[in-house]
Amino acid sequence: MSKHYDFICIGTGGAGNTAAFRLARDGKKVLICDYKHFGGTCAISGCDPKKVMITAAEFTDFQSRVMSKGVISEPATPSWKAMMAHKREFTDNHSDKLKYKYAKAGIDYLDGKASFTGEKSLKIGDDEFTFDMAFVGTGSTPLKLPFEGFEHVCTNECFLNLDALPNRILFIGGGYISVEFANIASAFGAEVTIVQVDTRLVPEFDNDIVDVLTESLLEKGVILKTGARVDSITRSGDGYKVFIRTRDGVVTRDVDLVVHGAGRVANLDGLGLENANIETSRRGIIVNEFMQTTNESVYAGGDCTDTEGYMLSPIAFMEGYIAAGNMLEGNKRTANYNNIGTVMFNVPSISSVGYTEKRAKEIGLDFRVNFQRTDHWFTSFRTMEKFSAYKVLIDNKTNQILGVHLIGPHADDVINVFVVAMNQGMTIYDLKKTIYAYPTASSDIIHMLG
């Protein structure tokens, strides 16, 4: 006998949880399930634990800057074991805390992998269920890379749960994951190499800001191999030999660990979507503007869909909330992907919202650019940070901001002021006449606007 629910949510990450709690708040009978730790990638093996570990990188980086001025003479040595234990204080009980919240909200939960058996039915393990509506929020998974020896590669889950940090680490890919993890590994004394197919790191960010980022990595001793790709990986003693194809031919590096940071794809394996008449594209589950799939009884959100923009937790939260509202009240709400801020936790952080200069030129916008390195500004001087800069794109007709790109102290927070300003249609004059607390990083905004 199958059991019936008003709503079933598959996946307990940002999208699935947001949808489930919204649906339960309306008094509906809701079931949520997951086959991994409850909480999703962001909370268990992504954004949150990564940022905990980045704290150590920020400390060691600041320590080196202070030492360069003679303020301290003896460096402290960070402990990977102790920092990992601190991280686990957050991740190890997160699932139990979430299950407590489910129970309190009246949401049933079940450990197991879901697979659709029909348009309004599915199985979780050996248990069968029917539903009025379902939501899919299964997130993303590392892209399978087409080279020999891929089975030797460590994923984000593996890296963020290492009991000990190897001495020599190679990261495949030059995006968010690799750059952030490279900062962490380097801070704890590992020899770090990044292999990137593109000629630049994180190509989605502004070129001038990435140039400053690249300088910061090189000063840390990170070895960058751009315009290159991994051809194969073989075992070599207790470690690995990585064969890298560069513009000058194939070179090798002997390392103790190879980490996959070369992209993620929608996590759809085993869902039986075809049984529910749910269509997919190369990017993920196809949804309309209301987050509804090709099966009108099933909605989806987060990294598992083919919606536009980055794979970002706030986007997953938004899509889960919008989908739940439409599941309850009919298709009325749509997602707004305009001017969503993003941060990459390099040390120092880089952040962005809106158009890059390259993209603005490509689509023919009429704008001016304010760009400057700011190592001589007080905010950077105070923290002895020499890798800082900003770029602001301003519409020549309206004086509204088209894009902002930052690197330096507190770039991860200052960007949110620009996110609000751009979404509210504020002009540079609105921002310039605002009185900011001083001296703060946000008070630098008026000097970025010309």
Side-chain angles (χ1 to χ4, degrees), residues 334-377:
T334 59
N336 178 6
Y337 300 99
N338 294 327
N339 302 324
I340 294 175
T342 182
V343 177
M344 188 178 72
F345 291 97
N346 182 65
V347 181
S349 294
I350 70 173
S351 58
S352 175
V353 61
Y355 292 106
T356 62
E357 183 178 0
K358 179 182 176 182
R359 181 57 181 157
K361 287 178 178 177
E362 288 173 348
I363 62 176
L365 296 179
D366 180 19
F367 66 99
R368 60 189 183 275
V369 176
N370 292 344
F371 169 72
Q372 189 178 359
R373 295 193 67 149
T374 56
D375 50 288
H376 58 290
W377 286 17

Side-chain angles (χ1 to χ4, degrees), residues 116-191:
F116 287 97
T117 56
E119 292 193 355
K120 288 194 170 187
S121 62
L122 55 78
K123 292 183 69 175
I124 303 173
D126 294 326
D127 298 318
E128 298 183 1
F129 299 90
T130 57
F131 54 82
D132 292 333
M133 286 188 170
F135 177 83
V136 182
T138 49
S140 61
T141 190
L143 173 70
K144 292 181 180 178
L145 302 177
F147 59 76
E148 186 178 346
F150 178 68
E151 68 274 11
H152 299 308
V153 168
C154 168
T155 65
N156 58 299
E157 293 182 21
C158 158
F159 179 79
L160 286 173
N161 208 36
L162 291 170
D163 291 324
L165 187 71
N167 293 325
R168 302 166 300 171
I169 305 176
L170 183 143
F171 293 92
I172 304 174
Y176 281 77
I177 297 171
S178 289
V179 171
E180 292 176 333
F181 285 3
N183 274 272
I184 295 170
S186 177
F188 284 94
E191 178 187 277

